[in-house]
Every structure is written in C-alpha cells, then in structure tokens.
Amino acid sequence: MKRKISIIGSTGSIGTQALEVIEELGQDKFEIYGLAAGGNTELLNTQIKKFKPKRVYASRNITNVDFNNVLSGDEGLTELASDKENDIILMAVSGHYGLKPTIAAIRNGIDIALANKETLVMAGDIIMQEVKKYNVKLLPVDSEHSAIHQCIKNISDISKLIITASGGPFLNKSSYDMAHSDIKQVLNHPRWKMGKKITVDSATLMNKGLEVIEAHHLFDIDYDNIEVVIHPQSIVHSAVEYKDGSVIAQLGLPSMHIPIQYALTYPERIEGIKSKSFSFSEIARLDFSKPDFDKFPCLKLAIEAGKRGGCSPVIMNASNEETVYAFLSGIISYNDIYPTVEKIFKTYPEQKINTLDDIFELDKEVRIKTKELLQGAKII
Ligand code: NDP
Ligand code: MG
C-alpha cells in the first residue's frame, strides 16, 4: 500500500536522510505529500523539483520558494502536519517547534515517525494519552528508542532499559580542555553527523538526558529502571533487560537510515539503502562504562527534571534550548551552558501544568527569562 507522507524538517540531517530512504524504497511505497523547511530554500527548491509535493511550508525566505501558496507561520506548519491527506508525518524539526504540529497531527488520526525528542520532553504525558485516545502509531526515530522498540516483545516482561551513549567529543577530554573548547570542537562529534542543536546536546550529554525522558514516556518505564551506559563505538544502539535476566540488544553500524526506515515501514522489514554488511569479526571491540555525572552535569540535571515531572522538564528543556542557541551564536562559551541551565532550573518557580496551553505559556516565559539571564553574560 502506498502511503502519503509529509517530512517536517526536510532540509535537516534527519529530513534529508529520510528522503534518501524514501527514494530507495521506491514510488510504490511512499508519496511525498508535504515538505516543510526552515530557511534553506535552495535545498527546499531542489527537493520540490524532485519529489513534487502537493504542499510546501517554509518558516523563512518564503519568497524564494518555487511553489504556489507556500505555507508559513506557526499555523502553517500545524496545517501541513495535521492535513488529513497525510497517512504519516516524519517530525524532524529541532527543538520546541515540533510540539504543536505533532499534537495536531495526532488529533487528526495521523501516524507519527518522531525524531523530535523535545516534543516528548515537554509534553510526554499528554502526547502519550492522545496517542492512545486517537489510536495512532507513534514510532521512534531516535536510534536508541528505535533499538529498544525493536527489542521489546511485551513491555510488561521488561525490567530495565539500557540506553547507550557514544560519550560525544569530550568523552576522553579533561575538564580544562572542555572549558577551553571552541564551537568547532564542540560540533565535532566522533560518530554522528547531525544538526547543530543536538550536536551541542551530545557534547554536554544533555541529549542523553533528554533521551531518558523520551524513553520513560515512550515505553512507560520508571526512571529508576533506565540505565545510561557509555559505549564509544555506537554499535550497540540500546538494549532491554527482561525479568528473567535475559538481555536483548539491537546492533548495527552507526547509520540513521536504519531507524528512519524502520519507523516508516514498521511492522515490515524491507531491503533499503544498502550499507556495508555487519560483521562481528571486523568490529575489534565493544567498550562499555558508566557515565561521569560530575564531568557531564547536564545529564544528571535532565534526569532529575524527568523524575520531578510536571513543569520541571519544560523549564529544563526551554532553558537548555535558548542556552544552546546562545552558545551557537557565540554569546557564551561551552562552560557557561550548564550553569545557565542550572540557574534557571533551580530558581524558576514551580507551577502546575494541566494543559498544553500551560506548557506553551511556561515554555515561552522560561525562554524569555533565559534570554534575560544570557544578556548579562560575558561575550567571549
Ligand atoms: P537539523 O538542524 O539538521 O534540521 C532541522 C530541520 O528543521 C531543518 O530542515 C530546518 O530547516 C527545519 N526547521 C528549523 N526551524 C524550523 C521551523 N521553525 N519550522 C519548520 N522547520 C524548521 O536537525 P536534525 O535533523 O539533526 O534533528 C531534528 C530532530 O531530530 C531534533 O529534535 C533531534 O534531536 C532529533 N534527532 C536527530 C538525530 C540526527 O541524527 N540528526 C538523531 C536522533 C534524533 P532549515 O535547515 O531549512 O532551516
Ligand atoms: Mg539518539
């Protein structure tokens, strides 16, 4: 059966790889119904020519887009994602932009392939309730969660999730080196080529903290039963431990094509983009160790926020996102990231979160507060 899909974030790291996967799967599997980009209209135009979508969105530079009636603004993105012509959407924007369109798509009965982890960090409880209520599929694209999804037969038989982390560019660097690293070093991830925001989060290990929260919601598992383990080779993408002590892991060469394709074709397994075949004998060794929470305090903070629940993950996520953007703009140094997020997280007043509107409001306010704090920061 041919399914109509919209790629939200088509010009990004996940979006472009998803289009490669879809191209390889062939025209009888998917029709590109919609493409949504930020401001890279040059690439968007190339994609429009090639995939001939019915609807197109751009958040910036819309006059450069070679398409009639280009959608724009917050409402435009939500309109495209929740258009009932979609059978499935791939949510691959970065940061908080993903939440509104994702919830709107779920409420219109559209399946979601979810790369945007911030959506679950901000509103995991509500999202998972809506997924049940509207009976849609929410399939993880994040490689660790895809791995876990592939390992679980029956969730009630699982005693622990084991989430692997490459450790990022600073795994073997001293605190002194980390403090004196520039943007280029922070963005130089040893295993994965990804968008800038997630790459900074991978250097601080905030990304792994966000993934713990993501896993808690996706698989309905207590935080105490989620373990993070450093595995620099990124071959074991994650694992689950069953009640009887058996551990099942998903392995593969590091490539996002596999989890993207799995989310799009689930429950089918199809021959797709052919990467090198896997060989245990060619992989000399697999190392595992405990994460260093003192060296990577963002990981600890994110897990604490997840455990507290309610407003805490929203506050942590919003302050982290704004702080990362400030780092990427050269306003603060790497060493300022954690203290900024921590300060907002520890001082922002607790409040009750009942509705999505409460979340949007709080997210907006925390961003403003974080920007105010950052304005007083020293320029490096
Ligand atoms: P990128 O920064 O590479 O891509 C982001 C995409 O979103 C781009 O197409 C960008 O457009 C678009 N975009 C930005 N702002 C808007 C907006 N306001 N409206 C619509 N589109 C917008 O990020 P990644 O692909 O790396 O990551 C996407 C998500 O997937 C993140 O949440 C990340 O955590 C998650 N993820 C990514 C992985 C990876 O390997 N990259 C692995 C696991 C999860 P443009 O470029 O045109 O401005
Ligand atoms: Mg991941």
Side-chain angles (χ1 to χ4, degrees):
M1 192 186 71
K2 189 167 173 164
R3 300 181 84 199
K4 287 187 186 169
I5 184 167
S6 288
I7 311 288
I8 313 296
S10 65
T11 48
S13 158
I14 293 289
T16 50
Q17 293 180 85
L19 288 171
E20 286 163 13
V21 166
I22 288 169
E23 208 183 346
E24 186 67 29
L25 289 174
Q27 300 222 330
D28 54 327
K29 288 281 173 214
F30 285 100
E31 173 188 331
I32 302 289
Y33 179 71
L35 292 174
N40 186 352
T41 48
E42 203 180 316
L43 180 55
L44 180 61
N45 284 337
T46 310
Q47 295 176 345
I48 291 170
K49 236 186 181 162
K50 188 162 181 182
F51 294 99
K52 302 186 175 49
K54 301 282 183 303
R55 305 198 80 181
V56 170
Y57 171 94
S59 69
R60 301 182 305 280
N61 311 330
I62 44 172
T63 50
N64 299 343
V65 183
D66 302 330
F67 196 84
N68 283 332
N69 302 324
V70 179
L71 295 160
S72 201
D74 265 12
E75 317 71 43
L77 194 62
T78 298
E79 189 181 326
L80 172 57
S82 61
D83 185 327
K84 285 190 173 167
E85 285 288 317
N86 289 308
D87 294 306
I88 182 168
I89 60 162
L90 172 68
M91 183 47 70
V93 297
S94 179
H96 67 291
Y97 302 105
L99 177 54
K100 247 185 208 161
T102 302
I103 208 94
I106 294 170
R107 287 176 175 166
N108 275 341
I110 298 161
D111 289 341
I112 315 282
L114 187 70
N116 177 260
K117 62 194 80 184
E118 292 88 346
T119 290
L120 283 173
V121 172
M122 290 170 74
D125 290 329
I126 298 178
I127 293 273
M128 296 316 288
Q129 275 168 21
E130 298 294 87
V131 162
K132 263 200 198 127
K133 183 171 164 191
Y134 290 92
N135 193 24
V136 300
K137 287 199 192 82
L138 178 71
L139 290 151
V141 169
D142 214 346
S143 57
E144 296 76 4
H145 307 75
S146 173
I148 291 168
H149 189 251
Q150 293 178 60
C151 294
I152 294 178
K153 231 187 201 171
N154 190 347
I155 194 85
S156 60
D157 290 338
I158 303 293
S159 58
K160 187 168 79 172
L161 306 183
I162 302 157
I163 299 185
T164 53
S166 72
F170 295 147
L171 179 60
N172 298 314
K173 292 270 189 282
S174 66
S175 300
Y176 179 88
D177 286 343
M178 283 162 69
H180 292 86
S181 55
D182 57 20
I183 292 186
K184 214 172 132 208
Q185 288 162 308
V186 174
L187 291 181
N188 186 23
H189 197 279
R191 298 271 168 235
W192 303 96
K193 184 141 186 19
M194 309 175 286
K196 286 185 180 164
K197 196 262 173 180
I198 183 177
T199 307
V200 176
D201 284 346
S202 299
T204 61
L205 290 202
M206 174 56 90
N207 181 52
K208 216 40 61 176
L210 301 180
E211 289 185 357
V212 168
I213 302 175
E214 186 185 5
H216 162 78
H217 289 295
L218 277 172
F219 305 109
D220 195 17
I221 296 260
D222 268 10
Y223 284 100
D224 291 341
N225 299 328
I226 304 176
E227 184 186 344
V228 174
V229 64
I230 302 293
H231 167 49
Q233 292 88 358
S234 298
I235 295 293
V236 177
H237 298 308
S238 277
V240 300
E241 183 186 74
Y242 279 81
K243 278 194 268 190
D244 61 3
S246 183
V247 175
I248 298 191
Q250 188 259 344
L251 282 71
L253 297 172
S255 156
M256 285 309 294
H257 285 136
I258 297 170
I260 291 169
Q261 179 174 311
Y262 176 78
L264 298 185
T265 64
Y266 177 82
E268 272 186 273
R269 295 256 185 199
I270 302 175
E271 201 177 327
I273 292 186
K274 292 182 195 65
S275 58
K276 215 169 140 244
S277 185
F278 187 84
S279 154
F280 271 104
S281 53
E282 277 179 30
I283 294 160
R285 53 189 284 179
L286 299 174
D287 296 300
F288 301 96
S289 59
K290 282 190 192 314
D292 182 341
F293 289 101
D294 294 329
K295 195 168 148 188
F296 299 103
C298 283
L299 174 58
K300 198 169 159 190
L301 188 82
I303 295 173
E304 189 189 326
K307 282 184 177 171
R308 281 201 213 169
C311 64
S312 296
V314 183
I315 297 170
M316 180 274 301
N317 181 68
S319 66
N320 177 61
E321 210 174 304
E322 285 307 325
T323 306
V324 169
Y325 296 149
F327 170 73
L328 288 168
S329 315
I331 295 167
I332 56 167
S333 71
Y334 177 84
N335 244 18
D336 297 321
I337 297 177
Y338 174 70
T340 309
V341 180
E342 187 200 26
K343 181 149 192 193
I344 297 285
F345 182 67
K346 299 245 157 102
T347 58
Y348 207 89
E350 290 255 339
Q351 47 198 278
K352 276 236 166 318
I353 293 287
N354 294 317
T355 64
L356 267 178
D357 283 341
D358 294 343
I359 293 176
F360 292 131
E361 194 53 37
L362 176 60
D363 172 71
K364 203 164 104 192
E365 282 168 12
V366 174
R367 280 167 202 287
I368 294 170
K369 265 273 167 302
T370 309
K371 278 186 192 155
E372 281 169 11
L373 180 65
L374 288 164
Q375 270 162 16
K378 61 182 185 325
I379 309 281
I380 47 163

